[in-house]
Amino acid sequence: VSTYGAYGYNMIPKAFAESVVLWYKKRYDSNVSNEWVIPSTGVILSIRILLDILTKEGEGVILQTPVYHTFHHVINNNNRVIIENKLKRINDSYEIDYDNLDTLFARGHKVMILCSPHNPVGRIWSKEEISKVIEIAKKHNAFVIIDEIHSDLNISDKKFVSGVDFASTYENIAICNAPSKAFNLAGLHTSYVIIPSASLKDEFNK
């Protein structure tokens, strides 16, 4: 046994990707290809790597605020600029400002982070809502990073809809997820990214 507590190299078995594929099918009726799944040590690390690939220093990243504070940190700490697409408070709920999102993409901001379900407002975005975001992104050839880490904390009667369901019509998406929130497994430092684009997957792995 090593004095330093190191027990050898980490091995990622095929069963890792297979388990993600089976989970998405069982829980969300979503079809994920084994080839799309990349292991990672955390959702925030995955987002940072994606931002490094997809943006340059000084470029904007769209956030739908109010949103999880660490998104702000990962953008600022990597010398990107936060571009707010503030959620609209309507009665007792929050809605996406699609018109402003369209305007922001039109101004040249090419990446957004979609928190789905949304933290902290608790919205489980419907298929129609996510579809509209994807349609606007597609119009501007923009990229959508989707954080789905709270997908298994759904205790409502609303069906969670994964961004994976739109991969067949738009490849410029990446889904980040982990068992840490729903199953209290943050100590394992285990997460994954689902990337339909083969070229982006290669860049991410590098």
Side-chain angles (χ1 to χ4, degrees):
V1 176
S2 169
T3 305
Y4 303 102
Y7 297 96
Y9 297 101
N10 289 326
M11 305 293 286
I12 306 297
K14 291 182 179 179
F16 185 95
E18 290 170 355
S19 67
V20 174
V21 171
L22 290 171
W23 190 258
Y24 265 70
K25 187 63 179 177
K26 176 182 177 181
R27 294 285 291 183
Y28 323 127
D29 196 26
S30 296
N31 296 312
V32 177
S33 169
N34 286 40
E35 287 72 32
W36 296 354
V37 181
I38 306 174
S40 176
T41 57
V43 165
I44 295 301
L45 172 64
S46 298
I47 291 174
R48 186 195 69 77
I49 294 171
L50 288 166
L51 292 180
D52 280 348
I53 297 169
L54 298 167
T55 63
K56 299 176 182 177
E57 290 191 9
E59 291 185 343
V61 179
I62 299 171
L63 287 183
Q64 302 204 118
T65 55
V67 74
Y68 180 46
H69 66 279
T70 306
F71 292 160
H72 294 258
H73 298 327
V74 77
I75 294 170
N76 287 329
N77 292 343
N78 287 280
N79 299 314
R80 273 63 174 174
V81 179
I82 295 169
I83 306 298
E84 288 188 278
N85 183 47
K86 295 181 179 180
L87 295 174
K88 298 188 293 185
R89 181 69 183 268
I90 300 177
N91 298 323
D92 292 328
S93 186
Y94 285 85
E95 307 292 338
I96 297 171
D97 190 338
Y98 299 107
D99 290 337
N100 191 56
L101 180 62
D102 186 48
T103 298
L104 294 177
F105 280 140
R107 288 176 181 169
H109 306 299
K110 293 300 183 183
V111 177
M112 78 171 293
I113 298 174
L114 175 65
C115 195
S116 177
H118 193 92
N119 176 17
V121 307
R123 276 300 315 278
I124 296 171
W125 306 118
S126 68
K127 183 177 181 178
E128 291 72 26
E129 288 171 315
I130 298 175
S131 178
K132 197 161 184 177
V133 169
I134 299 299
E135 285 175 12
I136 296 170
K138 189 174 183 179
K139 173 183 173 183
H140 298 282
N141 195 32
F143 199 96
V144 184
I145 300 170
I146 309 174
D147 175 1
E148 297 187 348
I149 200 168
H150 290 95
S151 54
D152 289 305
L153 290 176
N154 180 9
I155 59 172
S156 76
D157 57 356
K158 294 182 179 179
K159 182 181 185 296
F160 169 75
V161 178
S162 173
V164 168
D165 295 348
F166 303 90
S168 61
T169 58
Y170 195 57
E171 209 175 47
N172 285 359
I173 58 173
I175 293 93
C176 304
N177 207 338
S180 53
K181 297 292 185 183
F183 302 99
N184 197 27
L185 296 173
L188 291 182
H189 294 283
T190 299
S191 74
Y192 54 90
V193 190
I194 299 171
I195 301 179
S197 166
S199 59
L200 179 60
K201 181 186 173 185
D202 288 344
E203 285 296 309
F204 190 97
N205 276 325
K206 287 177 185 177

